[in-house]
Amino acid sequence: MPYTIKAWEDLTIQDDFMFKAVMKDKALCQGVLEAILGQPIRDIRYLSEELSLKAGYTSRGVRLDVYVEDVAHTIYDVEMQVRNEAEDALPQRLRYYQSQIDAEILAQGRDFAELRQTLVIFICPFDPFRRGWHLYWFENTCRRDAELRLADGAVKIVLNTLGTGEGISPQLQAFMDYVNSGILTSNPLVQALDQRVQDVKHSEAERVSYMTYELHLRDARKAGEAEGEARGEAKGRLKTLRDNVRSLMQSMHCDAGRAMDLLQVPAADRQAVLGQL
């Protein structure tokens, strides 16, 4: 399916670019966190704008939407997760984000004992666990006694904006309704969020930034598709070589080396063919 760029005028807070732009406002970011946690936060600071964490040369990196800490040095990573597809494996994605944040902390030369409390928060306009709850809060506990906590400081929170009847605070309900359907109420936080969305939309600099951002995404996708096609072609060629070698081994009762010699399999392919026999 061809990659299409969503019209600038149609962006909502659910869209990745807009969510990041809105949450750059410190007061709004703090307000959203307080609504989710149900308690005040004494101030926050941005650790890095859209920090990119790299796990290694051959590993997947992650780009964090909102990465902040409060005065108690608790770290918050807030992500707008709009895709509800099986291959996204949301629990594993939560685990991976947590691991990369921990790796980033340790990369600063800190000891394991200095790993701070971290809250990874996913905002989802769908119910990933099908319980109907607005908020799913996960911490590591003992299987035998759920009241025995591991106390490793790792907390994972998933918001389901479609949740019903859970008795959450009016502040959080208003925020979820706004994220889910763009419902604009008299709630001060929602009013401020919507005003920020409108301000971003009226910014020519933000519009240009959005187009540049989307074009980079499109180019990256095209490059990934081309690489995937190349890998597919190479895999198909190796499969053909393997099948031919296997057939010749059976018909001539010879070993793989002799069969590859007869078929003139390139030296560069021989180890890969052997690995598939």
Side-chain angles (χ1 to χ4, degrees):
M1 185 176 180
Y3 183 79
T4 58
I5 297 177
K6 189 174 183 177
W8 173 250
E9 295 77 12
D10 296 335
L11 294 187
T12 71
I13 198 171
Q14 281 193 23
D15 293 289
D16 190 61
F17 182 90
M18 184 61 72
F19 179 69
K20 292 185 178 80
V22 168
M23 295 293 275
K24 287 178 185 176
D25 184 297
K26 181 179 176 181
L28 291 179
C29 182
Q30 185 170 334
V32 168
L33 284 172
E34 289 177 339
I36 293 172
L37 301 177
Q39 62 186 33
I41 298 175
R42 276 190 57 203
D43 196 16
I44 60 170
R45 74 178 185 94
Y46 292 87
L47 295 175
S48 180
E49 182 177 327
E50 197 181 331
L51 180 68
S52 178
L53 305 179
K54 298 298 182 183
Y57 181 76
T58 59
S59 300
R60 296 182 61 179
V62 296
R63 298 192 68 82
L64 306 183
D65 286 353
V66 180
Y67 190 51
V68 299
E69 70 172 354
D70 62 19
V71 293
H73 302 298
T74 296
I75 293 175
Y76 305 90
D77 166 38
V78 188
E79 306 289 327
M80 183 65 71
Q81 184 68 28
V82 298
R83 293 181 60 189
N84 182 19
E85 300 179 8
E87 60 266 26
D88 276 356
L90 188 138
Q92 286 74 22
R93 185 181 290 267
L94 282 161
R95 173 179 171 179
Y96 187 68
Y97 274 57
Q98 176 70 61
S99 69
Q100 294 310 295
I101 292 171
D102 288 345
E104 172 67 15
I105 295 172
L106 293 176
Q108 299 169 7
R110 299 177 182 271
D111 188 76
F112 286 108
E114 296 180 89
L115 286 175
R116 291 170 279 171
Q117 181 166 0
T118 304
L119 284 78
V120 179
I121 303 170
F122 278 15
I123 302 172
C124 306
F126 57 89
D127 188 350
F129 304 108
R130 301 178 182 178
R131 298 291 183 93
W133 304 344
H134 279 102
L135 188 148
Y136 300 90
W137 186 298
F138 299 97
E139 296 182 52
N140 291 322
T141 60
C142 178
R143 183 173 181 177
R144 185 170 181 175
D145 182 357
E147 293 187 4
L148 176 59
R149 298 180 181 274
L150 189 59
D152 58 352
V155 176
K156 301 172 183 67
I157 300 172
V158 178
L159 302 184
N160 162 31
T161 64
L162 298 177
T164 57
E166 193 180 339
I168 59 175
S169 70
Q171 182 91 328
L172 183 55
Q173 183 66 67
F175 169 71
M176 288 193 174
D177 289 342
Y178 180 69
V179 170
N180 186 51
S181 305
I183 297 175
L184 189 58
T185 66
S186 60
N187 179 271
L189 176 61
V190 167
Q191 289 281 336
L193 288 170
D194 189 68
Q195 184 59 56
R196 174 62 178 162
V197 169
Q198 301 312 315
D199 291 343
V200 171
K201 286 187 175 182
H202 283 90
S203 169
E204 187 61 28
E206 292 285 13
R207 180 194 289 266
V208 172
S209 180
Y210 169 68
M211 292 305 299
T212 303
Y213 172 83
E214 287 294 328
L215 288 172
H216 284 165
L217 284 181
R218 186 184 67 180
D219 291 345
R221 175 172 290 197
K222 284 183 176 179
E225 289 174 351
E227 183 180 348
E229 289 175 0
R231 285 200 302 265
E233 291 175 0
K235 186 176 180 180
R237 186 175 62 83
L238 285 175
K239 182 178 182 301
T240 299
L241 287 175
R242 180 205 64 190
D243 292 344
N244 291 341
V245 168
R246 184 177 291 163
S247 177
L248 196 59
M249 289 171 63
Q250 293 173 350
S251 62
M252 297 192 62
H253 304 289
C254 63
D255 61 22
R258 176 59 176 161
M260 287 191 286
D261 287 341
L262 293 171
L263 291 169
Q264 297 183 334
V265 175
D269 294 328
R270 293 197 172 204
Q271 193 63 40
V273 171
L274 280 173
Q276 294 187 19
L277 290 175

